[in-house]
Amino acid sequence: MSAVIDVNEEKIRLRHVKNMAEQAAGHEFLMHSTDSTEESPGSHWSDLGSDKRNVLVLIFLYVLQGIPLGLAGSMPMILQARKVDYATQAFFSFAFWPFSIKLLWAPIVDSVYLSRFGRRKSWLVPVQYVIGFFMFILSYRIQSLIGGQDSESDGGDIDAVALTGTFVCLCFLAATQDIAVDGWALTMLKKENVGWASTCNAVGQTAGFFMGNVVFLALESPEFCNNYLRSNPQPAGLVTIQGFMYFWAWMFVCATTLTAIFKTEKADNSDEHPEGVIDTYKMLWKIIKLPAVFKYCVMLLTAKVAFAATDAVAGLKMIDNGMPKERLAMLGVPMIPIQIVLPLIISKYTGGSEPLRVFMKAYPFRLLAGLVIAYVVSITKFDSHNPFIPYSFYAIILIVYAFHQVTLYSMYVSQMAFTAKISDPSVGGTYMTLLNTVTNLGGNWPSTVALYMVSYLDVKSVDGVKTLDGFYIETALCSIFGFIWFLVYRGRVRDLQRLSSSSWKVQT
């Protein structure tokens, strides 16, 4: 269940970062608001006119972006089914970091380009070609990296360093493509239609991630294919990881060729002129040095320590206890409608002068959700080779997962509302993007540490038999930390919200 929590939250973060960074940069980003009493121009498909083709192009580019993300998200489940140790899982978790720290090279992508070819195409085309060739080569090497043909073989022959390095590079390329596509979306669409950029991102990236993760894991699973897609059982699934990567490698190459030849980029004659690389980095340093921003960053970097065991380890422990990885991935499907509706509902309560009130009210409930998830892990006891899982168990998981999603979204939407409120519009999207980079790091580093430490917390008898899984100790420690954090920051968060707007301004 929780193996998909981190990835889902990362997708939420990416989507909100883009939307609000564009608002902070002063673009006419026409968001669909539940509070609006009149509809924005271009809010319906029929109003798009000549931009319909551009919307479809953007959706497809975001679908391509979601494929590597989905494959990276499927790797921890595949590795866990192969019984790797948690130190290996912790090491592989660095593969997800590039999307969270892309601010470090985003100024370069925005500022260095060939004007004759196009500001965004200068990066998009070569990067997508590299992704395609990278996946083509990887399709021949991936089996040796993950070890053996048996999907549940011993993980001792896995090349963890090479596998992690490979996916770090793949996600780095996907993150760079993301920077280029986000920028192109704002000039590809007409100003009255630019609000569709977030829709393209949400639809495209989610669809790509779904195909690279849930669909791939289902079609790669012999058990799933034999139960639901075949009349005669076979020892292998309908697809292999090699074949899946090979197919999408050619999709990247073909799509990039068509984009390079047939899709022209408008000359950038708008008011949006890229800042110099050095000036951007200097501005980032000025923002970080603000006392109010520094205190807020410390809060963001520590708040999610309380949830690290739940978000990073719980789902992997369920696979250890016999839950098939493809069924675990499929549990995210019923949550999609909830994930669409929740932000709209929660956003009604995050306005006003203290948006973080919702964050602090949801915090203890998310702590409670973590304890309940730990209990669900403890009752997950199935035969991994022939699992019979009662429907009542699925019902329990879905209810707990839905409760967790409510707390997660409540915290995140309120946090994003506060970040948007305090961001200094005079420095464009740099302020907003910096704060959300810190937010992403605040979720990544505790997860990596939790994965690394969980095995060391196992309690064993004198003869080496495990008597208490370290996951439960880690969950308890994280929960205690969260309780203390809540007591310490309850007043500090209130004080941060009451600071004057000048406390958040940058002297330019």
Side-chain angles (χ1 to χ4, degrees):
M1 172 177 49
S2 296
V4 293
I5 289 175
D6 251 359
V7 182
N8 284 337
E9 188 169 1
E10 181 66 16
K11 290 193 295 178
I12 301 165
R13 281 199 294 264
L14 293 172
R15 196 173 306 151
H16 282 282
V17 169
K18 293 167 188 172
N19 296 352
M20 291 198 232
E22 288 155 355
Q23 286 179 311
H27 297 292
E28 293 179 29
F29 200 90
L30 307 177
M31 301 292 293
H32 298 288
S33 172
T34 54
D35 299 326
S36 177
T37 56
E38 80 182 86
E39 297 177 354
S40 303
S43 60
H44 295 295
W45 175 257
S46 58
D47 298 330
L48 286 173
S50 60
D51 264 346
K52 289 180 180 178
R53 183 179 299 176
N54 291 329
V55 166
L56 294 176
V57 169
L58 286 172
I59 289 175
F60 185 66
L61 290 175
Y62 280 119
V63 167
L64 291 179
Q65 180 192 126
I67 296 297
L69 290 177
L71 281 170
S74 70
M75 280 297 113
M77 296 185 181
I78 292 175
L79 294 178
Q80 201 63 26
R82 292 171 182 267
K83 302 175 178 63
V84 301
D85 57 60
Y86 283 88
T88 300
Q89 290 282 13
F91 189 68
F92 183 81
S93 70
F94 284 106
F96 302 103
W97 284 51
F99 256 88
S100 297
I101 60 174
K102 62 182 181 178
L103 174 66
L104 297 177
W105 66 92
I108 299 174
V109 177
D110 274 336
S111 303
V112 180
Y113 57 93
L114 298 173
S115 56
R116 293 184 62 181
F117 190 57
R119 180 179 174 187
R120 310 301 176 182
K121 286 178 67 177
S122 295
W123 287 92
L124 179 73
V125 171
V127 165
Q128 286 196 169
Y129 271 131
V130 173
I131 293 176
F133 290 126
F134 195 90
M135 292 182 68
F136 178 77
I137 295 171
L138 185 58
S139 68
Y140 290 95
R141 290 279 299 146
I142 187 65
Q143 198 65 60
S144 64
L145 295 179
I146 62 177
Q149 293 290 334
D150 185 359
S151 63
E152 296 188 4
S153 62
D154 188 347
D157 54 349
I158 290 174
D159 191 340
V161 174
L163 182 66
T164 302
T166 297
F167 275 92
V168 167
C169 293
L170 189 60
C171 288
F172 171 82
L173 292 169
T176 305
Q177 188 254 23
D178 182 51
I179 297 168
V181 176
D182 286 347
W184 199 2
L186 298 172
T187 56
M188 186 185 297
L189 300 173
K190 297 176 182 177
K191 287 188 175 182
E192 62 268 23
N193 297 328
V194 77
W196 277 79
S198 63
T199 303
C200 295
N201 170 255
V203 173
Q205 193 182 81
T206 300
F209 182 88
F210 184 81
M211 286 188 285
N213 187 277
V214 178
V215 173
F216 163 68
L217 287 173
L219 296 182
E220 186 262 352
S221 166
E223 187 252 352
F224 182 89
C225 294
N226 290 337
N227 286 342
Y228 302 105
L229 303 177
R230 289 177 175 143
S231 55
N232 297 317
Q234 301 291 329
L238 290 176
V239 302
T240 63
I241 189 169
Q242 302 99 311
F244 190 84
M245 285 188 167
Y246 187 86
F247 171 80
W248 282 104
W250 279 110
M251 287 295 291
F252 266 94
V253 171
C254 293
T256 305
T257 302
L258 293 174
T259 301
I261 296 174
F262 296 107
K263 186 60 184 173
T264 58
E265 184 174 353
K266 299 175 185 176
D268 192 2
N269 297 321
S270 67
D271 295 333
E272 183 201 359
H273 298 292
E275 296 182 46
V277 176
I278 303 300
D279 291 338
T280 301
Y281 288 123
K282 286 181 178 178
M283 181 57 64
L284 290 171
W285 180 243
K286 287 183 179 180
I287 297 170
I288 293 172
K289 289 197 300 182
L290 290 173
V293 171
F294 183 80
K295 292 177 182 177
Y296 185 46
C297 287
V298 172
M299 170 195 153
L300 296 176
L301 288 171
T302 56
K304 291 185 181 175
V305 174
F307 318 119
T310 299
D311 292 353
V313 185
L316 302 180
K317 286 295 180 182
M318 292 182 72
I319 294 175
D320 279 347
N321 293 344
M323 185 74 172
K325 61 184 184 299
E326 64 279 359
R327 297 194 195 181
L328 189 62
M330 292 292 289
L331 290 174
V333 177
M335 294 296 109
I336 293 176
I338 296 177
Q339 293 169 352
I340 294 172
V341 174
L342 271 178
L344 300 177
I345 298 174
I346 296 167
S347 62
K348 295 180 180 180
Y349 302 97
T350 56
S353 60
E354 297 187 359
L356 290 179
R357 283 183 301 175
V358 176
F359 182 99
M360 298 305 290
K361 287 182 179 179
Y363 197 93
F365 288 100
R366 189 167 174 184
L367 284 176
L368 176 62
L371 296 174
V372 176
I373 288 172
Y375 170 74
V376 172
V377 172
S378 72
I379 62 173
T380 305
K381 304 292 183 183
F382 303 113
D383 180 359
S384 60
H385 298 287
N386 187 26
F388 170 74
I389 303 176
Y391 289 113
S392 58
F393 185 79
Y394 286 121
I396 292 172
I397 292 181
L398 289 174
I399 291 171
V400 174
Y401 192 10
F403 177 70
H404 179 273
Q405 290 289 291
V406 171
T407 62
L408 185 155
Y409 273 82
S410 296
M411 289 178 59
Y412 193 73
V413 172
S414 63
Q415 176 193 313
M416 291 301 299
F418 181 69
T419 300
K421 176 177 177 290
I422 63 175
S423 293
D424 186 349
S426 67
V427 295
T430 305
Y431 201 117
M432 176 75 71
T433 308
L434 169 65
L435 292 178
N436 283 285
T437 297
V438 175
T439 300
N440 296 340
L441 288 175
N444 279 333
W445 80 261
S447 294
T448 298
V449 173
L451 285 166
Y452 182 78
M453 291 299 299
V454 66
S455 294
Y456 292 99
L457 295 173
D458 288 342
V459 176
K460 298 180 179 179
S461 63
V462 291
D463 55 355
V465 178
K466 185 191 298 185
T467 57
L468 180 61
D469 197 303
F471 167 67
Y472 303 111
I473 297 175
E474 190 169 74
T475 300
L477 292 174
C478 287
S479 299
I480 292 170
F481 177 91
F483 179 74
I484 296 172
W485 187 97
F486 180 75
L487 294 179
V488 171
Y489 269 91
R490 186 167 49 182
R492 293 183 182 183
V493 168
R494 184 171 57 248
D495 293 340
L496 277 175
Q497 295 185 107
R498 292 177 179 177
L499 290 174
S500 64
S501 59
S502 60
S503 300
W504 306 96
K505 299 291 184 183
V506 179
Q507 297 299 322
T508 57

